[in-house]
Structure formats: structure tokens, C-alpha cells
Amino acid sequence: KRKLDYPTYAKLKKQEGDVLLTVVVSAEGKPLRVEVETSSSFKSLDEAAVASVRRDIRFYPARLDGVPVASRVQLPVQFRLTD
């Protein structure tokens, strides 16, 4: 589990939510395309989730007959404020 940068505005407004992302992953494990499948209802949280995956996340690529191939995965992202 990775800790994402929580948008400052969302913290101030006490916004929490879940974002479901669809990620197209290259054969090298890099995110080629990241799209919001299900929104948190807060634009700042959705944008932070997409930016974090593009910037910080690398995947183990899918394999077909032992050879790395591009694939599509769904990635849930939770934003929760803690005391």
C-alpha cells in the first residue's frame, strides 16, 4: 500500500473518497494511459490519483508465454483523512 500526496485543498475541505482508475500498462511496466473509471466526486482527489500513478507507480507487466506484454488493469485508490 502506497501513501499518496493528499491535495491540500481537499484536506482543508475534509474531502475523502475512492477513485477507481483504469491503467494501460506497457510491456515494460510503465503506465501508458491512466483514466478515471469511477470518480470520487472530488476533482482534486481524482486528479491527484491520476498524477500519482503516472509519476510514482511502476507495475510488473503481464506475461503471455513468459513474454512481457501490455495490459489493462483497474486500480482502486482511497483517500482517507486520519486524526
Side-chain angles (χ1 to χ4, degrees), residues 8-73:
T8 303
Y9 178 80
K11 277 186 186 178
L12 293 172
K13 293 294 186 177
K14 300 186 190 279
Q15 296 173 343
E16 297 182 323
D18 299 323
V19 183
L20 181 61
L21 301 175
T22 298
V23 183
V24 175
V25 180
S26 74
E28 293 79 33
K30 296 178 183 176
L32 296 176
R33 190 169 63 232
V34 183
E35 297 174 349
V36 175
E37 185 75 24
T38 305
S39 173
S40 67
S41 299
F42 298 108
K43 185 177 180 180
S44 63
L45 296 182
D46 295 349
E47 289 175 350
V50 169
S52 181
V53 169
R54 284 185 178 144
R55 180 185 65 238
D56 301 326
I57 306 291
R58 292 297 173 261
F59 297 86
Y60 290 104
R63 293 186 173 272
L64 182 62
D65 295 325
V67 178
V69 295
S71 63
R72 179 184 307 259
V73 297

